[in-house]
Amino acid sequence: MNHANQGDETGSDWAGFFDHFVADDIRARTVESLAPGGQGQQIWPGLQVEAHDTQILKNRYSALIPGASPLERILRSRGIDTLLITGTKTNVCCESTARDAMMLDFKVVMVSDATATLSDDEHRATLETIFQQFGDVLSVDEICERLA
């Protein structure tokens, strides 16, 4: 899953965000940086991606709100009922997707050491919120133990 937004000479496919939260003097550059395949949208080079891996673009913080991506349809068509949430930012994209996943009746696991954000306090607060209301919080090692 990768975040990307389409842009053109009139703006972006997420005008509500770019027009209200991004300063006028950097808006065009920010939209361009989030373009699919753009420099800011590369998968981390240490992650091994295989040709058969499904790669999905989302255009909102949550990958599961209507119109953001085809993720829900893909998961349900494959009979997947449990999501392991990883990525950045823990308290923005990861948390938004985790909350929506739970509300859509998926089982949610926030992977504590495979998510990150700008500060340890923000990270811990989100993990606590997920654990209290939206799913489970496990480390990579704990998940591997349960799968073994």
Side-chain angles (χ1 to χ4, degrees), residues 119-133:
S119 76
D120 289 343
D121 288 342
E122 291 171 310
H123 182 72
R124 281 190 298 271
T126 294
L127 297 180
E128 184 68 27
T129 298
I130 296 301
F131 186 72
Q132 287 180 12
Q133 299 293 314

Side-chain angles (χ1 to χ4, degrees), residues 51-127:
H52 63 274
D53 290 339
T54 301
Q55 295 186 45
I56 301 170
L57 292 177
K58 67 178 179 69
N59 64 5
R60 297 293 189 275
Y61 292 148
S62 171
L64 290 168
I65 64 167
S69 79
L71 181 61
E72 182 183 8
R73 179 183 49 78
I74 291 168
L75 294 170
R76 295 204 191 279
S77 72
R78 295 178 181 182
I80 295 170
D81 68 353
T82 304
L83 303 185
L84 304 177
I85 307 288
T86 65
T88 60
K89 293 176 163 177
T90 310
N91 60 327
V92 181
C93 296
C94 298
E95 182 175 349
S96 296
T97 298
R99 286 172 177 247
D100 288 342
M102 179 275 209
M103 298 297 285
L104 291 168
D105 296 322
F106 288 98
K107 297 173 196 140
V108 173
V109 178
M110 184 75 77
V111 187
S112 61
D113 54 350
T115 52
T117 196
L118 299 177
S119 76
D120 289 343
D121 288 342
E122 291 171 310
H123 182 72
R124 281 190 298 271
T126 294
L127 297 180

